[in-house]
Amino acid sequence: MKEFSFTLPTQVIFGKNSLRKLSEILSTLGKRSLLIYGRSQAKKIGVYDKVVQSLKVANIDFQEFHGIKPNPTISKVREGIVIARDFKPDFLLALGGGSVIDTAKAIACGYFYSGDPWDFFEKRATPEKALPLIAISTIAGSGSELNDVSVIVDEAQGLKLSLRHPSLLPKYTLIDPTITYTVPPHLTVYGVMDAFSHCFEFYHFSKHFSDSLPFDLALLFMRRLLYWGKIAFVEPENYEARANIFWISSLALSGLIRSGIGAYRFFLHSLEHPISGLFDTPHGLNLAILMASYLKLYHRNQRVRRFFIDVFGLEGERYLSKRGLDALLRVYEYFKLPLSLKEIGVSADYISALVDRACKILYLWKAEDEFTKEDVEKIYTLALEGPF
């Protein structure tokens, strides 16, 4: 294992009725809060009412900022910063999925920055501090409730970039798996594939590979995500399935797996961000197509072959690549996932634009020497028609 420093100061309150603890922790962060949420789901499932009641019980003066959509935009971040500066909250309260929490994180650090918050994502500036954040996560997958990353789209450019800074870690995260009972099957699967992709990237794109705990955790998490994901797909109110998916997805990007693996890249995320940035398609779905395409192109790679063995429980080397890809296809068919970019509205005319944006992301990540333009184009081209 490589040397590492691991700090996770977020206090997690997990389980049925975890929201009952909210009123107790609110006053620890101040008396004024900006409540940030999405468009309608939080109200439909009743969690919004519970949060508002907790704010009132704790005598917190609050203002609402809502309308956050999947693949959140920098224009919404800018709007939120203006509202926050006018209201002057002591802390932010994010109620929703990864898009809401990511928006809140960008507002939290942009609040103290005199320039444009997009500077953080273009690596032209670094946050110095951020407003404290409470995250109440309503859907599993992104892991944003337990990490220091924000991913935002500049809709003017069709460019999706990420920001990472320790100040963005939530102070508290509340997770009640029963909230996800009403998440539709297809969105449940997209969340499972999102969390799966995080483990996948740590496993496949670390520079140093060894038989060690971090890689064992990545493999275990991927196996269990598929196991519990299949159950939640057909039994949406199975608590054990929902709880395990949620906790795995939170831990997958919390820093736990990456502690000890050394240098790594999120190569497939650099290819996904241009797709959702241009087409506003689901992040987890895009990643599922890209992962399958990568496995098909590099099926002879020894790490890929071990992935087939350890994740799908295959034995023997004979026809391993074919059997591994067949096993993956059965998973995708079970989840009724589209198998190509064409199926979700991407045409060949956009390949060049996708490649250019992916290469820009690799440049910003200082990884342009590790993955060539030809590598990027090859994966996009296969993903367009589908790897199966």
Side-chain angles (χ1 to χ4, degrees):
M1 288 176 62
K2 294 295 186 181
E3 297 79 10
F4 65 89
S5 175
F6 177 64
T7 302
L8 191 58
T10 303
Q11 181 175 338
V12 179
I13 302 171
F14 186 102
K16 298 177 182 178
N17 303 312
S18 60
L19 290 184
R20 290 179 181 175
K21 302 285 187 180
L22 180 58
S23 58
E24 299 176 18
I25 66 176
L26 286 169
S27 59
T28 66
L29 297 180
K31 287 296 183 182
R32 294 168 67 83
S33 177
L34 184 64
L35 172 59
I36 303 171
Y37 59 96
R39 293 180 286 191
S40 61
Q41 186 63 19
K43 290 187 175 181
K44 285 181 180 178
I45 61 179
V47 66
Y48 165 86
D49 291 334
K50 293 179 181 178
V51 170
V52 168
Q53 180 61 28
S54 294
L55 286 163
K56 291 178 178 178
V57 168
N59 293 315
I60 302 296
D61 185 16
F62 69 96
Q63 182 167 333
E64 298 183 12
F65 176 58
H66 56 87
I68 315 299
K69 69 178 202 61
N71 296 314
T73 61
I74 193 64
S75 62
K76 203 67 177 174
V77 171
R78 293 175 182 131
E79 181 184 346
I81 290 171
V82 171
I83 292 172
R85 285 174 177 165
D86 180 64
F87 181 65
K88 297 180 175 56
D90 297 313
F91 64 95
L92 305 181
L93 178 54
L95 171 62
S99 60
V100 172
I101 300 171
D102 283 5
T103 299
K105 289 176 178 177
I107 293 171
C109 60
Y111 180 84
F112 295 104
Y113 180 59
S114 60
D116 184 9
W118 189 246
D119 291 345
F120 295 140
F121 297 88
E122 292 268 18
K123 312 301 182 189
R124 290 191 293 265
T126 302
E128 294 183 0
K129 59 180 178 177
L131 287 166
L133 172 65
I134 297 176
I136 301 175
S137 190
T138 59
I139 185 169
S142 75
S144 189
E145 68 277 0
L146 204 56
N147 67 45
D148 55 2
V149 178
S150 173
V151 182
I152 299 292
V153 176
D154 181 349
E155 61 270 46
Q157 302 182 68
L159 186 62
K160 186 177 187 179
L161 297 176
S162 61
L163 159 67
R164 183 175 176 184
H165 193 267
S167 67
L168 302 184
L169 272 164
K171 301 300 181 185
Y172 297 93
T173 280
L174 286 79
I175 299 173
D176 180 351
T178 65
I179 291 174
T180 64
Y181 284 173
T182 58
V183 175
H186 69 288
L187 294 182
T188 296
V189 172
Y190 298 164
V192 167
M193 298 315 294
D194 190 3
F196 188 95
S197 75
H198 299 150
C199 306
F200 186 97
E201 299 258 37
F202 286 128
Y203 181 83
H204 288 278
F205 302 116
S206 59
K207 293 184 179 181
H208 169 79
F209 187 73
S210 64
D211 285 318
S212 59
L213 178 62
F215 295 104
D216 289 343
L217 285 174
L219 291 166
L220 173 63
F221 283 7
M222 286 188 279
R223 287 197 302 269
R224 303 308 286 174
L225 280 167
L226 294 182
Y227 174 81
W228 290 114
K230 288 179 178 180
I231 294 174
F233 187 65
V234 295
E235 299 177 31
E237 296 190 15
N238 185 305
Y239 180 79
E240 291 304 321
R242 292 294 191 180
N244 277 277
I245 291 169
F246 224 138
W247 191 225
I248 293 171
S249 69
S250 295
L251 290 176
L253 212 55
S254 68
L256 181 65
I257 294 177
R258 74 169 183 263
S259 297
I261 69 172
Y264 66 92
R265 298 296 186 190
F266 263 31
F267 175 49
L268 295 184
H269 276 69
S270 71
L271 274 66
E272 188 288 324
H273 288 174
I275 300 172
S276 52
L278 280 173
F279 295 93
D280 202 21
T281 45
H283 175 67
L285 171 58
N286 299 337
L287 283 164
I289 296 170
L290 291 170
M291 284 188 287
S293 300
Y294 174 81
L295 292 171
K296 177 65 177 290
L297 282 171
Y298 299 98
H299 64 90
R300 290 188 176 87
N301 179 286
Q302 286 304 307
R303 210 178 305 191
V304 170
R305 293 173 70 82
R306 177 172 167 180
F307 167 87
F308 287 146
I309 291 170
D310 288 343
V311 172
F312 297 122
L314 304 181
E315 297 180 357
E317 291 289 327
R318 189 174 177 82
Y319 304 122
L320 177 59
S321 297
K322 182 183 184 305
R323 289 185 288 125
L325 290 167
D326 286 345
L328 182 67
L329 175 59
R330 288 193 293 272
V331 169
Y332 283 27
E333 289 177 336
Y334 182 94
F335 286 142
K336 297 180 172 59
L337 285 167
L339 302 177
S340 71
L341 294 180
K342 273 189 175 180
E343 293 177 65
I344 59 175
V346 181
S347 72
D349 295 338
Y350 285 91
I351 293 295
S352 178
L354 292 172
V355 171
D356 289 344
R357 283 165 171 76
C359 288
K360 178 174 183 177
I361 293 171
L362 290 169
Y363 175 79
L364 288 171
W365 291 357
K366 296 181 173 59
E368 71 275 15
D369 293 334
E370 300 169 33
F371 304 98
T372 68
K373 185 176 182 179
E374 290 72 25
D375 293 331
V376 172
E377 188 169 8
K378 191 185 301 182
I379 293 176
Y380 276 139
T381 301
L382 179 58
L384 185 69
E385 300 292 342
F388 298 113

